[in-house]
Amino acid sequence: STLDRSSAASDVYKRQNKVTIVFQTQSSNTIAKDKVISQTPRAGNKVKQGGSVTVTISSGKGLTVTSFVGKPKTEADAWIRQNGLKSVMTEVFSDSASGMILTQTPSSGSISAGGTVTFEYSGGLVPLSDYTGKSRSEFDTYIGNLNAQKNKSAKISVSYTEEESDSTAGTILSQSASGNVKPGTSITVKVAVGKKVTVADKRGVGEDSFRTYLSSLGLKPGNISYAYDDAIK
């Protein structure tokens, strides 16, 4: 006979026969709520000790799912409220109009009363700020924070090039894109590395003279070490 869903009956059955019973629910327009729709294996078949029996229980009449992909989020919200369903809404960056539904699960078939529908909707393009004149470290932090927003959907990638400049080393000189950009946009950022100079061979010149020479190039001496030399006095 068909298994009874009641916990007492199923517990007795499990103890007597050492069988695991797995209950699952499914909507049905013909089987009343909380009644058994089916079981696998069917009644009359043999089950090994240690095996399992899956029992499908009716969750009541199902609601036909309406797909809202490509439609405004407000319409999906209204449908969820009107039918006593639950929703999970996730906002992501997209080149679709802000507020439009991008994905939906389930998007077809039927769903039980009180069931949950998962939606992903557009939050619009990625607002990319212009960091020209600021430091590369500031920009790195900014991009990291931006890419972490809205379910990590910005996916902005950055490549750096270097250029000699009178600006402080590490300063951003230019940025290939800014403003509202599509998710996944790749940008190129040019960073200052300071002016490069050619240093002449000053071996044999006195220390004071050499310091003056470095100063004229806009440089400063680094570590200085001293050594005896019979040729240079």
Side-chain angles (χ1 to χ4, degrees):
S1 60
T2 300
L3 289 174
D4 189 335
R5 189 193 182 191
S6 69
S7 59
S10 61
D11 285 344
V12 170
Y13 185 88
K14 286 187 284 186
R15 286 197 303 270
Q16 291 178 344
N17 300 287
K18 297 181 180 179
V19 170
T20 300
I21 302 178
V22 179
F23 289 105
Q24 63 183 22
T25 59
Q26 178 182 309
S27 61
S28 173
N29 293 327
T30 57
I31 306 297
K33 184 178 180 181
D34 294 330
K35 297 296 183 179
V36 175
I37 297 175
S38 64
Q39 71 178 55
T40 303
R42 292 182 178 182
N45 290 319
K46 294 183 178 180
V47 180
K48 293 182 180 180
Q49 288 189 343
S52 64
V53 176
T54 299
V55 180
T56 302
I57 307 296
S58 172
S59 58
K61 291 185 177 181
L63 171 70
T64 300
V65 176
T66 298
S67 176
F68 287 90
V69 175
K71 298 179 181 180
K73 175 180 177 293
T74 52
E75 292 186 17
D77 286 333
W79 180 74
I80 290 291
R81 288 193 303 271
Q82 290 168 2
N83 292 284
L85 300 173
K86 300 174 184 177
S87 67
V88 175
M89 291 282 184
T90 302
E91 183 180 15
V92 297
F93 289 116
S94 167
D95 55 358
S96 294
S98 182
M100 301 300 288
I101 298 294
L102 303 174
T103 65
Q104 174 183 328
T105 304
S107 59
S108 61
S110 62
I111 187 170
S112 303
T116 300
V117 183
T118 301
F119 298 94
E120 192 175 72
Y121 69 96
S122 173
L125 295 169
V126 183
L128 181 64
S129 298
D130 187 351
Y131 266 64
T132 300
K134 298 181 181 181
S135 69
R136 172 175 174 171
S137 60
E138 289 178 296
F139 187 68
D140 285 337
T141 299
Y142 165 72
I143 290 296
N145 291 334
L146 182 61
N147 280 335
Q149 294 177 23
K150 296 185 180 180
N151 205 34
K152 300 180 179 179
S153 57
K155 299 180 181 178
I156 301 298
S157 60
V158 184
S159 60
Y160 291 98
T161 61
E162 296 182 338
E163 184 177 286
E164 292 183 40
S165 172
D166 292 328
S167 299
T168 304
T171 300
I172 292 178
L173 301 175
S174 66
Q175 183 178 318
S176 64
S178 62
N180 293 326
V181 300
K182 292 183 180 181
T185 295
S186 298
I187 62 174
T188 300
V189 174
K190 192 173 293 183
V191 181
V193 292
K195 288 287 186 180
K196 295 181 180 179
V197 297
T198 301
V199 179
D201 186 351
K202 293 291 183 178
R203 285 178 291 184
V205 172
E207 182 179 334
D208 289 341
S209 178
F210 185 65
R211 286 179 180 273
T212 300
Y213 169 70
L214 290 179
S215 179
S216 70
L217 297 177
L219 303 175
K220 296 179 180 179
N223 295 326
I224 299 176
S225 60
Y226 296 90
Y228 291 105
D229 191 297
D230 292 334
I232 301 176
K233 298 182 180 179

